[in-house]
Amino acid sequence: MTPDLILINADIRTMDPLKPRVAALAARNGRVVALGSTAEIRALAGKNARVIDAGGRLVLPGFQDTHIHMQDGGMNGALNVDLAHIRTIPDLQAALADFAKKNPKRHWLNGHGWYSGIFGEHNLTREVIDAVIPDRPSMLYSSDYHSAAINSKACELLGLDASVEDPENGYFSRDKKGVPTGLLHEKAIDWVRERMPEIPDSDWEEGVRYGQALCNRHGFTGVLDALVTDRHLRIYRAVEKSTGLTVRVASTALVEPTDTVEGALERVEGFRRDFASDMLKVHSAKFFLDGVLENRTAAMIEDYHDAQGGNFPVMFGENHLRELFIAFDRARFQIHCHVIGDKAVRAGLDALEAAREVNGAWPSLHQLAHVQVVDPDDIPRFAKLGVMPNIQPLWARSEASVTEIAVPMAGPKARWIYPFRSLIDAGATCAMSSDWSVTTLNPFPIMQTAITRQPPEMGPDHPVFLPEERMTLDECIKGYTVNAAAAAWRSADTGSLEQGKYADLIILDRDLFAIDPYDIAGTQVMLTLLGGKEVHRHEEFKG
Ligand SMILES: [Zn+2]
């Protein structure tokens, strides 16, 4: 078995405890066949093997992002206006005016990324958009996709007026006369989307290519798309069959409160049967148990502690959720939940516990994603039930969404916002992820924030958000490699560099283990290999 590829002069951290650190590896047909010293590996290779000289740099298994919206985020990134860096209404209007001017033929002018900590009922209405886009419809998603804003032309085309009632699990913001202001929350977004013209498949496919290239550039060789429907799967397959997928795509298929147990199971089982290639699979079912604190749709055990009080119910009835989880767990699906408030976390754990009691324990590695507020009594239950926290540590820092929204709303529970250290110390295994395009997918600022609990652009003097909840570098790397592979049910083939596993790996420009933690965010990926094939090369890498 002569290798066709060798990687030499490297500092390979394999993430395999039996052989944790080597200088070289050999691969054949995309899989690792040997690991050892540079001399040993060189001796194995014939004349025709491709040689990559890492120049002494750090090599890790390819990273996996286990909660990312690669297709939706990719389509937005490729085709719509990005409002993520905008902080004022005049800047928002300038960006929209510019986008409209540059796209004279486009019917709907859509965008994404406005920040609901800054924009909301008090300053974002359809008139704000009308001032710069009066004659064409426009829909702008917030960065967390739990709210959106539309202009008057869109309201008119869609028939959104005072007579339209709020959907269940969502609402239209309204003025004093009950006329919608153009702001949409949760299921009100779906009301609009269902009435908009359909986006052509070619746009979605362009989005996948954009998204996967961005993933490769930041060191990803695998993802778990955190919400797929039949359209997502059709588009992923089309890309797989045409130009090819350059990240391994696992996915979780949406189940909604309106689904019956039988209907949901039949649909998702169909997906699992029809999409089961090396590069694309469905292994999981996705449930939104609540919304987000920013638009006051998070489900909390106690009423919101700030002046406005109130609360929001868990989006599934208790019995319905339990029956769904029991059925999906019995059919050997992983369950992946969006949970923000501590009541949603508890509802998820309760229903997963019920499923385990009925069906027995098996290595499901069910995922509770986001876990923004966790009641301390529930922290030990993750390890006990074998449930993985799927965490986005970039959000765990002192900034407006935390200090001005989450902390006042959580009141006495604010100590338990993003309690990652507590979860790990209580035995939980965490998968790290980005939730892109909510926020950046670049894993290095995310890792730095997990370690420092400070915004990466602010440096060491910025206030630390709950320093007792800091994670270690080792935990972060595991969160993106071995733990992420486990979360995506790909441990047999990926997550560590061992004989028989895929040669999915990355070469970094710096040694994460030697540098100051404040230098982690700037890390560049020099080379990304997927099954031994180059899917990203930094212009400065010559190895
Ligand atoms: Zn998400």
Side-chain angles (χ1 to χ4, degrees):
M1 285 290 275
T2 320
D4 52 29
L5 169 76
I6 60 169
L7 171 68
I8 56 166
N9 294 324
D11 176 13
I12 307 174
R13 305 268 188 163
T14 64
M15 304 309 286
D16 170 12
L18 296 179
K19 205 176 225 183
R21 207 169 172 188
V22 293
L25 66 74
R28 184 182 168 84
N29 295 331
R31 292 195 186 250
V32 176
V33 291
L35 299 113
S37 68
T38 291
E40 283 163 354
I41 295 299
R42 262 194 199 283
L44 291 177
K47 268 200 234 70
N48 296 328
R50 191 173 156 221
V51 180
I52 299 173
D53 187 329
R57 290 187 184 85
L58 178 63
V59 171
L60 294 171
F63 280 9
Q64 305 191 30
D65 188 322
T66 52
H67 188 108
I68 186 170
H69 302 278
M70 192 172 81
Q71 184 172 129
D72 296 347
M75 196 280 289
N76 272 307
L79 298 164
N80 296 340
V81 61
D82 180 5
L83 306 169
H85 299 289
I86 291 188
R87 294 289 174 267
T88 67
I89 292 289
D91 286 353
L92 180 82
Q93 289 176 320
L96 293 176
D98 182 57
F99 181 62
K101 205 171 126 204
K102 285 186 178 144
N103 293 278
K105 296 217 178 89
R106 194 180 286 236
H107 181 216
W108 277 74
L109 291 164
N110 298 334
H112 61 100
W114 57 267
Y115 178 42
S116 49
I118 292 176
F119 303 107
E121 337 307 301
H122 61 289
N123 63 353
L124 183 56
T125 60
R126 55 199 162 85
E127 288 81 7
V128 167
I129 312 172
D130 295 349
V132 284
I133 308 178
D135 49 349
R136 287 183 278 173
S138 174
M139 163 129 159
L140 311 173
Y141 284 98
S142 66
S143 61
D144 58 22
Y145 292 86
H146 288 262
S147 298
I150 58 174
N151 65 353
S152 296
K153 192 73 195 173
C155 291
E156 182 194 315
L157 281 176
L158 303 168
L160 177 60
D161 58 28
S163 71
V164 176
E165 282 175 29
D166 286 343
E168 207 176 322
N169 292 325
Y171 64 96
F172 300 102
S173 293
R174 296 169 194 267
D175 64 17
K176 287 199 187 81
K177 290 184 190 142
V179 179
T181 65
L183 268 195
L184 323 163
H185 303 287
E186 304 296 332
K187 285 290 167 197
I189 301 172
D190 291 11
W191 186 96
V192 163
R193 204 161 36 199
E194 282 155 17
R195 288 161 178 79
M196 283 168 68
E198 238 176 274
I199 295 165
D201 280 10
S202 55
D203 282 4
W204 292 114
E205 288 169 29
E206 193 180 333
V208 171
R209 293 188 186 100
Y210 175 97
Q212 67 181 8
L214 197 65
C215 285
N216 294 152
R217 195 179 321 147
H218 290 291
F220 291 106
T221 52
V223 296
L224 196 173
D225 190 310
L227 189 169
V228 298
T229 60
D230 51 356
R231 180 262 296 168
H232 294 86
L233 295 166
R234 179 180 80 238
I235 301 294
Y236 277 130
R237 169 159 291 167
V239 175
E240 181 186 17
K241 295 228 151 121
S242 56
T243 47
L245 289 169
T246 62
V247 287
R248 305 183 193 283
V249 179
S251 62
T252 180
L254 182 66
V255 176
E256 304 203 69
T258 47
D259 275 312
T260 62
V261 174
E262 300 72 31
L265 199 56
E266 197 187 316
R267 182 176 72 246
V268 182
E269 280 185 324
F271 289 156
R272 175 165 67 183
R273 189 182 58 236
D274 296 345
F275 299 91
S277 74
D278 251 11
M279 293 300 292
L280 174 62
K281 70 171 183 187
V282 179
H283 72 300
S284 170
K286 170 75 181 281
F287 301 80
F288 280 90
L289 300 199
D290 66 344
V292 291
L293 290 167
E294 282 82 351
N295 68 9
R296 315 187 78 80
T297 55
M300 299 287 284
I301 294 170
E302 281 130 46
D303 280 352
Y304 301 154
H305 194 258
D306 62 358
Q308 291 181 60
N311 208 330
F312 202 85
V314 173
M315 288 180 169
F316 286 80
E318 196 180 322
N319 289 337
H320 189 38
L321 191 68
R322 190 169 50 230
E323 278 162 24
L324 282 163
F325 281 16
I326 289 170
F328 274 90
D329 180 84
R330 183 192 298 128
R332 294 297 187 258
F333 281 101
Q334 184 181 74
I335 290 166
H336 192 123
C337 299
H338 166 110
V339 287
I340 291 285
D342 56 1
K343 189 169 182 183
V345 173
R346 181 166 290 174
L349 290 167
D350 286 349
L352 289 172
E353 186 172 10
R356 192 176 164 112
E357 265 161 29
V358 174
N359 302 324
W362 60 284
S364 54
L365 300 176
H366 296 315
Q367 306 282 308
L368 289 192
H370 314 314
V371 292
Q372 186 166 2
V373 188
V374 186
D375 187 281
D377 289 348
D378 289 327
I379 285 175
R381 297 178 72 199
F382 284 80
K384 212 174 117 216
L385 297 171
V387 173
M388 284 179 88
N390 186 311
I391 60 172
Q392 297 73 39
L394 189 81
W395 306 343
R397 61 199 205 183
S398 291
E399 53 146 33
S401 68
V402 173
T403 54
E404 281 158 42
I405 296 173
V407 168
M409 284 175 83
K413 290 278 178 70
R415 163 64 188 86
W416 304 104
I417 293 176
Y418 301 128
F420 306 147
R421 168 94 268 130
S422 301
L423 285 161
I424 293 168
D425 287 347
T429 304
C430 292
M432 301 248 297
S433 61
S434 66
D435 206 8
W436 186 74
S437 60
V438 171
T439 40
T440 181
L441 58 74
N442 184 344
F444 301 103
I446 298 173
M447 288 166 59
Q448 182 175 316
T449 312
I451 294 163
T452 65
R453 305 274 289 200
Q454 291 162 305
E457 61 282 3
M458 301 304 284
D461 297 329
H462 192 80
V464 180
F465 180 65
L466 299 176
E468 55 274 52
E469 297 297 346
R470 283 172 158 172
M471 292 170 63
T472 66
L473 175 65
D474 200 49
E475 287 159 356
C476 290
I477 293 176
K478 282 192 178 129
Y480 272 123
T481 58
V482 276
N483 295 358
W489 291 7
R490 277 194 288 244
S491 293
D493 286 318
T494 68
S496 59
L497 294 166
E498 301 176 42
Q499 217 173 342
K501 290 197 180 184
Y502 285 120
D504 290 1
L505 59 88
I506 52 177
I507 302 179
L508 303 183
D509 74 335
R510 63 194 77 184
D511 180 2
L512 298 175
F513 296 91
I515 58 173
D516 187 298
Y518 292 94
D519 292 331
I520 293 173
T523 302
Q524 299 285 314
V525 179
M526 306 312 279
L527 193 76
T528 306
L529 296 186
L530 174 83
K533 274 206 212 87
E534 206 169 298
V535 289
H536 158 72
R537 172 179 284 260
H538 193 286
E539 52 190 16
E540 282 165 25
F541 184 65
K542 307 282 183 250

